[in-house]
Structure formats: C-alpha cells, structure tokens
C-alpha cells in the first residue's frame, strides 16, 4: 500500500534518473564529437602547413638554382639568398601565404642567363623586374606559366634570340619592357594566330624581325614600347584595338609601309612616337581623333603628302614633330588652335606657301623650327607675340621681304636663325632688345644697310653670323662688348672702314671671319689678345701695313689667312710661336724680305701658302722639320738658292702639292719630293734648276699635274718617267732632256696634255701613244724625232692640238683611223695639218 501510495514519487525518480542517464550519454557523445572535430581540424591545418612549406621550398629552390647559374660576382650580390624561406631575401616580396609575388633586382649588376630560372615554379608572381643588368641569352618560352604577371621588365640587358610567342598568353600583362637588349631573329610566323598587348617595350635592341600580330590580344596593355630596334614590316592595323593604350613607341626601327588609319581609334592614347623609320604614305587624318594626345612624333621617315588639317583638333598636344620627311603642301592654319603646343618641328620637308599668321596665336610655344623647306612670302609679324619662344628656325627657305621689327619683342628667344633665304632690307635695331639671345644667324640673304650698333647690347650672344649679304658701312665698335661671343662671321659683304681695335676685347672669341669685304687700314695689334682664337680670316680686303708681331701670341690659332690684301713688310718671326697652326695663307700681298727660319717650328702645319709676294732669299733649312706639310705654295716670288738637303728626306711623306714656279731657284730639284707617294701637283717651271728628274717621280703614280718646263734639267726621258694612271697634264718643254719617248705614255689613260718641246729627244713616235685615249694636246716640236706617224694615233678619232714641226705649225685636226697606205712621215703630216684650221 505504501509502495503504491508512493508510485507518483517513484515515477518522478525514474524520470529524473533516465534524464540524467541520457544527459551523460549526450555529453559523452558531444565529447567524442568535439574530439573528432578537433582531430580533423588539426589534421587539416597540418596538411596546409605542409603545402605552404612545399610551395616556399619549391620557389626557394628555383631561385637558388638560378642563382648558382649566375657569374660568381653576381652570386655574391645575392648573399641573402640562403635557406628555404625566400620572403626575407633581397629583391623578393611575398603574399600573406608566403608565396613569391614580386622579384625585383633592377640595376644589381647581375651577369648570366635566364636558362635556369624555372618560371613554372612561381604561380603567384605578379611582377618580374630584372632591368639594367648584364643578363644575356634567350627569354625562356616557359614564361607562359606566369599567368598572373602584370609587369615584365627585362630592359637594359643583353638578351638575344626571338621574342617568345608565349608572351601572348599572359593576358594579365600591363607592362612588358624588353628595351635596350640585343634581341634578333624573326618573330615566329605562328604568332599571327594570337591577337592582343598593353605595354611591350623592345626598345634599343637589335631586333631584325617584324612586329608580332599577337600584339592586338593583350587587352590590358597601356603602354607599348618597341622602339630602338631593327624591326621591319608594316605597323599592324590590329594595334588600333588596344583601347587602353596610352603610350605607343615604335621609333628607331626599320618599319615601312603606311601609318594605319586604325591608330586613330586609340582613344586613350597620350604619346605616339613612330619616328626614325622608313614609313611612307600620308599622315592619316584619323589621328585628329586622338583627343587625349599630348605627343606626336613622326619625324625622320619618308612620309609624303600634306599635313592634315585635322591635327589642329588635338587640343592637348604639347609636342608635334613631323620634321625630316617628304611632306608637301602648306602649313595648316588650324595649327593656330593648338594652344598647349610647346614644340613644333616641321623642318626639312618640302613644305611650300607662306607661314600662317595663326602660328602667332600659339602662346605656349617654346620651340618653332620650320627650316629647310620651300616656304615663301614674308615672315609674319604675328610671330612677335610668342613671348615664351626660345628657338625660331626659319633658315633655308625662300622667304622674302624684310625682317619684322616685331621679332624684337621675343623676350625669351635664345636662338634666332633666319639664314639662307631671300630677305632684304635692313637688320632691325629692335633685335638689340633680345637680352637672352645667344645665337643670331642672318647670313646668306640679301640684307643691306649697316650693322646696327644695338647688336652690341646682346650680352649673352655667343654666335653672330651676318656673312654673305650686301651689308655696308663699318663694323660697329660696340661689338667689342660681346664678351661671350665665340663666333663672328661678317665675311662676304661690302663692309668698309678699319677693323675696330675693340674686337681685341672679345676674350671668348674662337672664330673671326671678316674676309671678302672692302676693309682698309691696318690689322689691329689688339687681335693678338684673342687667346682662344682658332680661326682668323682677313683675306680679300684692302688691308695695308705690316703683319702685327702680336699675332704670334694667338696660341690657339689653327688657321691664319691674311691673303689677297695690300700687306707690306716682312713675315713676323713671331708666327713661329703658333704651335697649333695648320694653315698659313699670306699669298697675294706685297710682303718682302726672307722667309723666317722660325716658320720651321710650326710642326702642325699642313698648308703653307706664301706665293705672289716679293719674298727674297732662300728656303730655310728649318723647313725640313715640317713633316706634316701637304701643300706648299711658294711660287711667284724672288726666292733663290737651292732646296735644302733636309727637304723631303723621310719628312715630306704627306706632300700633295708643291708649287715653286716663277722664282730664281738653282741647284737640283728635291730628290725625295714624292717619298710619301701622295704627290699630285708639282710645278717648278721658270727657275734655274739643273740635274736630273728626281728618281722618286718615276714611280709616283699619284701625279695629276706636273710642270717642270723652263729649266736646265737633263736626263734620259725614256728612263726618267713611269706610268701615271691619274696624270692629266705634263709639261717638260725647254729643258735638256734626251733619249726616246717611252711606250709608257700610252698607259696614262687620263692624260690630256703632253708638252715636251725644245729638248733633245730623238727616235720615233711610239705607236703605244695612241692608247692614251684622252690625249688632246701633244707638243713635241723642236726635238729630233723622225720617222712615220703611227696609224694608232688616229685610232680613237681624238681631237689633237698637234705641234710636231719646229714650232712653225700649230693646228687642230680630228684624226680618223689611218690605213696603212695613209701613214706619212712627219714632214708630210705637217704639210697636211697646215691646210686645216690654223691657230
């Protein structure tokens, strides 16, 4: 009863016990489950760690394998590359998982190849930069495994071989730089199946292939560099598909064909440079669509046709270079819209018409070069508005009219070149306002009037060329203020008056040319102060007085020309101090006295011209020291005595021309006059030379003109001369030569004139003389030649001036081929030619 009475309580106990038991079972299950989960998680983490370590080890081993293939010094530069964890190595960056993402060793001085660098080991590599090292060899084709690569920079190395076609598979690429290498070979033909690029730089290589067709597929490319190679073929039209392209460099190659119109589709393009190729055809008008373009370089090609007006739509353009092509037509007036333009190069084309007034609207313009075209009409006054302009080149055109005074408003200009045109009128005094001007070239025009005093205000001027005009008046003394002037060309005008003493204040002057004017007075002694002067041209004036001794202070001078004046007095011995002098022209004056011994100290002298003066005395022995002399002109003086023994003995090996005629020389001709084998012109006529022909002349095959007539030379003519393939003129008349004419004269194929009259030559005319096909003048009169005229003399139908008698008959006869029957003796021939045209 009690048990029954307590049954609800018992049931409650059983329920609690069952709950507790179930709870224990659940907790045990949870415990087992947790342990299982923990075990699984630990196992998974352990597995990931193994993978991570394996990847790091794989990448590390690949890098270490490459390191060991490099040159020893290169390996030492990578001393941190040890162990199996590359993330802390120099030039290496990794992602959070420890995988290599960036390999950058630019300018590390590495030497070696990429042959042992396994690109397949770097699945996460984003950038590879090995630029500016000394790496060589080919670029491995397994570069295609770098599927995530966006930057490839191998520029500034020595890579050779082909461009691997596998680059076309790297669709993530933004940058490819291969410039400044030595890549060669053809681009594989199968690349034509690929079609895309974003930046490819092969510049400064020696590539001899064509641009691959796959360049159109790399749709992420922003910059494409293929410049400075030897790429050939056409520019692919497919490049027009590269919608993200901002920079396209193809310059300095051997590309040909026309510029594709499709390039006008590159709406993002900022910089387009196709210069220095062999491109032909016209400039596409579609380039006017490139609204973001700032730089357009098409210079140094073979482009033709006119400049498209549409280029005037490129409102952001700052640099436009179309120079050195074959462009024709006019300069578009639309260029006046290019308000941001700083550089405009149109020079060296065939452009015609006038310079557009609109160019005066280019307020940002710094450099304007229109030289070497066929531009006509006047220089627009509107150019005076270009306040930022530093360079204005209009030379070598056909511009006419006067120089606008408005050019004096170009306050920033440093270089103003208007030379070689048809400009008239005066030089504007307003040019004196150009305080920054360093170069002023107005030469080779038709300018008249005087040189403005105001040019003396151009304190920055280094080069002033006003030569070859019709300028009159005096040289302004104010030019002496131009302390920076290095070049002063006033030659070939009609300037008069004296040379200002003030020019001696131009301490920077290097080149002073005042020749071919009407300058009078003396040469200022102050010119001796010009210690930097290398060239002094005062020839062809009416200068008088003596040569100042102070010119011997011009320690830098190499070229001194005072010829064709009225200079008197002696040659200053001080000129012997000019140790750098190569050219000394004092000819055609009234100089007297002897030649100074001191001139023999001019060891650099190559040209010595003292002819047509009143010089007396002998040739100084010291001349034997002038081993570099190539041209010696002493003719038409009153020099006497014999040639120094030192002359030509192992010294005059450079001698090309020796002119000593019209003096009173005695003794023997210089024996070694052709010791160098270069002698071309030797004239010693009308002197008193005796003895034989110099032996060195016999084998002197360089001879072109020789005149030894009017002396007392003696010797066997048949033994004294050889074969001269270049000889044009030979005169030996009025000497004492004997013997018979050699057959060698017939082998002188360029000989036009042979004069050997008034000697003692005997024997017959050699038939070989007829082989001298260019011979026109043959004078053998007053000798002892006898026999028949060889028929070979008329074999070529040559026109001769023949003087074969005693000098009584001189006539012109066209000799036709002679038959055997028509061969006559000299007397008959003389009679025959008398009946022809007598001279």
């Amino acid at each position: 009863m009690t048990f029954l009475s307590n049954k609800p309580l018992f049931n409650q106990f059983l329920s609690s016990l069952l709950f507790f038991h179930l709870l224990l079972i659940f907790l045990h299950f949870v415990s087992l489950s947790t342990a299982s989960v923990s075990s699984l998680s630990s196992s998974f983490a352990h597995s990931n760690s193994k993978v991570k370590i394996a990847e790091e080890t794989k990448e590390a081993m690949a890098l270490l394998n490459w390191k060991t293939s490099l040159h020893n010094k290169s390996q030492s530069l990578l001393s941190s590359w040890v162990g199996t964890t590359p993330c802390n190595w120099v030039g290496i960056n990794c992602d959070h998982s420890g995988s290599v993402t960036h390999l950058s060793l630019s300018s590390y001085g590495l030497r070696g190849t990429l042959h042992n660098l396994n690109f397949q080991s770097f699945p996460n590599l984003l950038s590879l930069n090995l630029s500016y090292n000394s790496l060589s060899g080919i670029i491995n084709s397994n570069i295609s495994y770098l599927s995530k690569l966006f930057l490839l920079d191998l520029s500034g190395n020595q890579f050779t071989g082909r461009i691997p076609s596998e680059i076309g598979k790297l669709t993530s690429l933004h940058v490819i730089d291969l410039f400044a290498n030595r890549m060669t070979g053809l681009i594989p033909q199968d690349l034509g199946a690929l079609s895309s690029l974003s930046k490819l730089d092969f510049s400064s290589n020696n590539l001899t292939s064509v641009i691959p067709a796959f360049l159109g597929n790399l749709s992420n490319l922003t910059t494409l560099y293929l410049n400075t190679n030897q790429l050939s073929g056409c520019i692919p039209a497919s490049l027009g598909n590269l919608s993200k392209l901002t920079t396209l460099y193809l310059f300095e190659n051997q590309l040909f064909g026309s510029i594709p119109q499709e390039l006008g589709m590159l709406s993002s393009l900022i910089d387009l440079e196709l210069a220095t190729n062999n491109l032909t055809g016209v400039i596409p008008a579609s380039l006017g669509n490139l609204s973001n373009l700032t730089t357009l370089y098409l210079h140094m090609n073979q482009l033709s046709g006119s400049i498209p007006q549409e280029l005037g739509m490129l409102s952001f353009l700052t640099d436009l270079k179309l120079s050195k092509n074959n462009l024709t037509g006019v300069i578009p007036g639309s260029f006046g819209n290019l308000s941001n333009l700083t550089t405009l190069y149109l020079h060296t084309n065939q452009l015609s018409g006038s310079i557009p007034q609109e160019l005066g609207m280019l307020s940002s313009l710094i450099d304007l070069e229109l030289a070497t075209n066929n531009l006509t009409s006047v220089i627009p006054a509107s150019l005076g508005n270009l306040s930022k302009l530093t360079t204005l080149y209009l030379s070598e055109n056909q511009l006419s009219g006067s120089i606008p005074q408005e050019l004096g408003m170009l306050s920033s200009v440093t270089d103003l070149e208007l030379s070689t045109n048809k400009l008239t009128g005066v030089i504007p005094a307003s040019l004196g306002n150009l305080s920054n001007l360093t170069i002023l070239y107005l030469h080779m025009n038709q300018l008249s009037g005087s040189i403005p005093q105001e040019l003396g205000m151009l304190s920055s001027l280094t080069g002033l060329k006003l030569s070859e005009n019709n300028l009159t008046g005096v040289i302004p003394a104010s030019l002496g203020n131009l302390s920076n002037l290095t070049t002063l060309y006033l030659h070939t005008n009609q300037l008069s008056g004296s040379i200002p003493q003030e020019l001696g204040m131009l301490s920077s002057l290097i080149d002073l040319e005042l020749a071919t004017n009407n300058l009078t007075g003396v040469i200022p002694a102050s010119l001796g102060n010009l210690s930097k002067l290398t060239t002094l041209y005062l020839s062809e004036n009416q200068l008088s007085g003596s040569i100042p001794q102070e010119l011997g202070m011009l320690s830098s001078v190499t070229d001194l020309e005072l010829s064709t004046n009225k200079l008197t007095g002696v040659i200053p011995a001080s000129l012997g101090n000019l140790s750098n002098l190569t050219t000394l022209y004092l000819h055609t004056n009234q100089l007297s006295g002897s030649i100074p011994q001191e001139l023999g100290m001019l060891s650099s002298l190559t040209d010595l011209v003292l002819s047509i003066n009143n010089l007396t005395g002998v040739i100084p022995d010291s001349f034997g020291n002038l081993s570099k002399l190539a041209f010696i002109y002493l003719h038409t003086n009153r020099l006497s005595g014999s040639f120094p023994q030192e002359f030509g003995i192992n010294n005059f090996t450079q001698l090309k021309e020796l002119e000593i005629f019209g003096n009173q020389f005695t003794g023997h001709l210089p024996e070694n006059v052709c010791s160098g084998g270069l002698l071309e012109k030797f004239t010693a006529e009308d002197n008193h030379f005796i003895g034989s022909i110099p032996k060195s002349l016999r084998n002197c095959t360089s001879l072109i003109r020789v005149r030894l007539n009017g002396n007392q030379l003696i010797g066997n003519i048949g033994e004294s001369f050889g074969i001269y393939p270049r000889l044009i003129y030979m005169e030996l008349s009025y000497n004492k030569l004997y013997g018979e004419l050699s057959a060698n004269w017939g082998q002188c194929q360029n000989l036009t004139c042979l004069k050997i009259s008034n000697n003692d030559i005997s024997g017959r005319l050699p038939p070989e003389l007829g082989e001298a096909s260019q011979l026109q003048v043959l004078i053998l009169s007053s000798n002892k030649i006898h026999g028949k005229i060889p028929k070979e003399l008329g074999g070529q139908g040559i026109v001769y001036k023949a003087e074969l008698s005693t000098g009584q008959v001189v006539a012109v006869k066209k000799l036709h081929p002679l038959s055997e029957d028509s061969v006559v003796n000299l007397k008959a021939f003389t009679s025959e030619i008398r009946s022809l045209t007598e001279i």
Side-chain angles (χ1 to χ4, degrees):
M1 291 290 296
T2 303
F3 177 78
L4 292 175
S5 63
N6 291 323
K7 187 176 182 178
L9 182 61
F10 180 74
N11 289 339
Q12 184 179 1
F13 170 76
L14 288 176
S15 298
S16 299
L17 183 62
L18 179 61
F19 175 77
F20 179 72
H21 182 69
L22 291 173
L23 180 62
L24 289 175
I25 292 172
F26 175 76
L27 290 174
H28 177 69
F29 176 78
V30 169
S31 176
L32 290 174
S33 298
T34 303
S36 176
V37 170
S38 176
S39 175
L40 288 172
S41 176
S42 175
S43 175
F44 182 77
H46 181 68
S47 176
N48 275 353
S49 178
K50 283 185 176 181
V51 171
K52 177 181 176 182
I53 292 171
E55 286 295 333
E56 287 181 353
T57 302
K58 180 181 179 182
E59 292 175 340
M61 292 305 295
L63 290 171
L64 290 173
N65 186 48
W66 178 54
K67 173 186 172 182
T68 58
S69 72
L70 300 176
H71 287 239
N72 292 335
K73 184 177 180 181
S74 299
Q75 294 183 39
S76 65
L77 296 172
L78 302 177
S79 58
S80 65
W81 285 25
V82 291
T84 58
T85 306
C87 296
N88 295 324
W89 296 355
V90 64
I92 304 295
N93 290 98
C94 300
D95 59 16
H96 64 279
S97 69
S99 182
V100 175
T101 56
H102 301 280
L103 173 56
S104 180
L105 293 170
S106 178
S107 304
Y108 257 75
L110 302 178
R111 294 182 61 194
T113 69
L114 295 182
H115 297 164
N116 293 329
L117 182 58
N118 186 5
F119 293 124
Q120 192 173 0
S121 300
F122 306 96
N124 297 308
L125 195 65
L126 301 178
S127 67
L128 176 61
N129 185 354
L130 301 176
S131 60
Y132 297 101
N133 285 289
S134 297
L135 300 173
S136 57
I138 64 170
I139 300 172
N140 301 342
S141 60
N142 67 5
I143 197 171
S144 61
Y145 289 105
L146 303 178
S147 58
K148 295 182 181 180
L149 199 68
F150 72 82
L151 169 65
L152 174 63
D153 191 350
L154 303 178
S155 59
N157 283 285
Q158 300 169 20
F159 288 113
T160 57
R162 299 172 181 270
I163 303 170
S165 60
E166 288 76 11
I167 288 179
K169 299 177 182 179
L170 304 179
T171 55
S172 297
L173 275 171
H174 286 65
V175 176
I176 304 176
D177 281 355
L178 300 179
F179 79 95
N181 283 284
R182 297 177 180 176
M183 304 189 72
T184 58
L186 296 174
I187 301 294
Q189 292 294 326
D190 57 359
L191 296 185
L194 306 170
S195 45
S196 287
L197 261 199
S198 297
K199 175 177 192 267
L200 178 57
D201 186 342
F202 299 153
S203 61
S204 297
N205 289 295
N206 293 320
L207 293 169
T208 57
S209 51
V210 296
I211 299 175
F214 71 80
L215 296 185
N217 284 332
L218 301 177
S219 56
N220 290 315
L221 275 179
T222 59
T223 308
L224 173 59
Y225 287 167
L226 299 176
N227 54 296
T228 319
N229 285 287
Q230 295 179 18
L231 299 173
S232 58
C234 298
I235 299 174
S238 60
L239 296 184
N241 299 324
L242 304 178
S243 58
K244 294 183 181 180
L245 202 64
T246 61
T247 304
L248 176 58
Y249 286 175
L250 303 180
F251 62 88
E252 292 182 18
N253 280 289
Q254 297 176 21
L255 300 172
F256 54 82
S258 58
I259 300 172
Q261 293 194 8
E262 289 79 359
L263 296 189
M265 299 163 54
L266 300 174
S267 56
S268 300
L269 203 62
I270 294 174
D271 194 343
L272 175 58
E273 303 191 15
L274 311 179
T276 317
N277 280 287
N278 298 315
L279 298 173
T280 55
V282 300
I283 299 173
S286 62
L287 298 186
N289 299 325
L290 305 177
S291 57
N292 293 304
L293 203 65
T294 62
T295 302
L296 177 58
Y297 289 171
L298 305 180
H299 57 283
M300 295 187 71
N301 279 288
Q302 300 175 34
L303 298 171
S304 56
S306 58
I307 301 173
Q309 287 276 351
E310 289 80 357
L311 297 188
M313 299 163 55
L314 303 174
S315 56
F316 288 103
L317 203 63
T318 60
D319 292 88
L320 177 58
K321 295 184 180 181
L322 308 179
S323 52
K324 296 189 179 181
N325 279 288
N326 298 316
L327 299 173
T328 55
V330 300
I331 300 172
S334 62
F335 278 12
N337 301 324
L338 305 177
S339 57
N340 291 301
L341 202 65
T342 61
T343 302
L344 178 57
Y345 286 2
L346 303 180
H347 67 85
T348 320
N349 278 288
Q350 300 175 33
L351 299 172
S352 57
S354 59
I355 300 172
Q357 291 278 349
E358 291 85 350
L359 296 189
M361 300 164 57
L362 301 177
S363 56
S364 300
L365 203 61
I366 294 174
D367 195 345
L368 175 58
E369 302 192 14
L370 309 180
T372 318
N373 279 288
N374 297 316
L375 299 174
T376 55
S377 192
V378 300
I379 300 172
S382 62
L383 297 185
N385 299 325
L386 304 177
S387 59
K388 295 182 180 179
L389 199 68
T390 61
T391 303
L392 178 58
Y393 289 171
L394 303 180
S395 300
E396 296 185 41
N397 280 287
Q398 299 180 36
L399 298 171
S400 57
S402 59
I403 300 173
Q405 292 193 8
E406 289 80 356
L407 296 189
M409 299 163 53
L410 299 174
S411 55
S412 300
V413 76
T414 60
D415 195 341
L416 177 58
E417 302 189 15
L418 310 179
S419 58
T420 317
N421 279 288
K422 298 178 180 179
L423 299 173
T424 56
V426 301
I427 300 172
S430 62
L431 298 185
N433 300 326
L434 306 178
S435 57
N436 294 304
L437 200 64
T438 60
I439 298 292
L440 178 58
Y441 290 172
L442 305 180
H443 58 282
M444 294 186 71
N445 279 288
Q446 300 171 27
L447 298 172
S448 57
S450 59
I451 301 173
Q453 288 277 350
E454 289 81 355
L455 297 189
M457 300 163 54
L458 301 175
S459 58
S460 299
L461 205 62
T462 61
L464 177 59
K465 296 185 180 181
L466 308 180
S467 52
E468 297 184 62
N469 279 288
N470 298 317
L471 298 174
T472 56
V474 300
I475 299 173
S478 63
L479 298 185
N481 300 324
L482 305 178
S483 58
N484 292 302
L485 201 65
T486 62
T487 302
L488 177 58
Y489 286 3
L490 303 181
H491 67 84
T492 320
N493 279 287
Q494 300 175 32
L495 299 172
S496 57
S498 59
I499 300 172
Q501 290 277 350
E502 290 81 356
L503 296 189
M505 300 164 54
L506 301 176
S507 57
S508 300
L509 203 61
I510 295 174
D511 195 346
L512 175 58
E513 303 193 13
L514 309 180
T516 317
N517 279 288
N518 297 315
L519 298 173
T520 56
V522 300
I523 299 173
S526 63
L527 297 185
N529 299 326
L530 305 178
S531 59
K532 296 182 180 180
L533 200 68
T534 62
T535 304
L536 177 58
Y537 290 170
L538 304 181
S539 301
E540 296 186 43
N541 280 286
Q542 299 179 37
L543 298 171
S544 57
S546 59
I547 299 173
Q549 291 195 8
E550 289 81 358
L551 296 190
M553 299 163 52
L554 299 175
S555 56
S556 300
V557 77
T558 60
D559 197 341
L560 177 59
E561 302 190 12
L562 311 179
S563 57
T564 317
N565 279 288
K566 298 178 179 179
L567 299 174
T568 55
V570 299
I571 299 174
S574 62
L575 297 186
N577 299 326
L578 306 179
S579 58
N580 293 303
L581 199 66
T582 61
T583 302
L584 177 60
Y585 287 176
L586 303 181
H587 65 88
T588 320
N589 278 289
Q590 300 170 28
L591 299 172
S592 57
S594 59
I595 300 173
Q597 283 277 352
E598 289 80 359
L599 295 191
M601 299 163 55
L602 302 176
S603 58
S604 299
L605 203 63
T606 61
D607 292 41
L608 175 62
V609 185
L610 308 179
S611 52
I612 315 180
N613 278 288
N614 297 316
L615 298 174
T616 55
V618 300
I619 296 176
D621 294 343
S622 61
F623 272 28
N625 301 323
L626 304 179
S627 60
K628 295 183 179 179
L629 272 179
F631 301 92
I632 306 176
Y633 287 6
L634 303 178
H635 69 81
T636 322
N637 278 287
R638 291 187 289 163
L639 298 170
S640 59
S642 59
F643 262 71
Q645 291 296 319
E646 295 81 1
F647 190 95
I649 301 178
N650 301 319
N651 283 334
F652 287 85
T653 56
Q654 305 299 316
L655 193 60
K656 290 185 177 181
E657 296 188 12
L658 175 61
E659 297 203 9
I660 54 176
F661 66 88
N663 281 287
Q664 300 171 23
F665 289 122
T666 57
H668 294 264
L669 289 171
E671 188 63 34
N672 295 292
V673 66
C674 191
S675 60
L678 301 176
L679 189 66
E680 297 177 352
K681 191 174 182 180
F682 182 27
T683 59
E685 73 269 21
D686 298 329
N687 279 286
H688 305 294
F689 286 113
I690 60 173
S692 59
I693 303 293
K695 291 181 180 179
S696 62
L697 287 185
R698 179 171 176 81
N699 298 316
C700 190
T701 56
S702 56
L703 287 174
I704 296 176
R705 291 184 65 87
V706 178
R707 296 187 63 178
L708 305 179
N709 52 293
N711 285 286
Q712 300 176 41
L713 300 173
I714 190 169
N716 190 324
I717 193 168
E719 299 174 355
S720 299
F721 296 95
I723 299 172
Y724 309 107
R726 302 179 62 195
L727 188 66
I728 295 174
Y729 188 102
M730 172 73 81
E731 183 165 5
L732 305 171
S733 303
Y734 294 94
N735 279 291
K736 297 180 179 180
L737 301 173
Y738 58 85
E740 298 184 6
L741 291 177
S742 168
N744 289 339
W745 294 109
Q747 297 186 52
C748 300
Q749 292 299 311
N750 287 301
L751 188 63
T752 63
C753 181
L754 179 60
K755 299 180 180 180
I756 321 181
S757 68
N758 295 88
N759 278 280
D760 201 19
I761 300 171
S762 59
R764 300 174 181 270
L765 286 177
E768 291 84 358
L769 194 56
E771 297 175 7
S773 58
Q774 301 299 316
L775 192 60
Q776 297 179 19
V777 177
L778 176 63
I779 300 181
L780 302 173
S781 59
S782 298
N783 280 289
K784 297 177 180 178
I785 300 174
H786 62 276
K788 297 180 179 180
I789 299 176
K791 63 179 181 179
E792 289 81 1
L793 284 178
Q796 303 297 326
I798 307 164
V799 176
Y800 284 92
K801 177 182 178 184
E803 183 178 329
L804 301 175
S805 71
T806 58
Q808 299 295 321
V809 179
V810 179
V812 174
K813 173 181 171 57
K814 185 171 185 180
L815 300 176
H816 294 282
L818 300 175
S819 65
E820 193 70 30
D821 296 336
S822 62
V823 176
V824 292
N825 59 32
L826 293 181
K827 184 176 180 180
F829 178 70
T830 302
S831 300
E832 182 183 352
I833 62 172
R834 185 184 290 114
S835 63
L836 298 172
T837 306
E838 293 196 1
I839 298 178

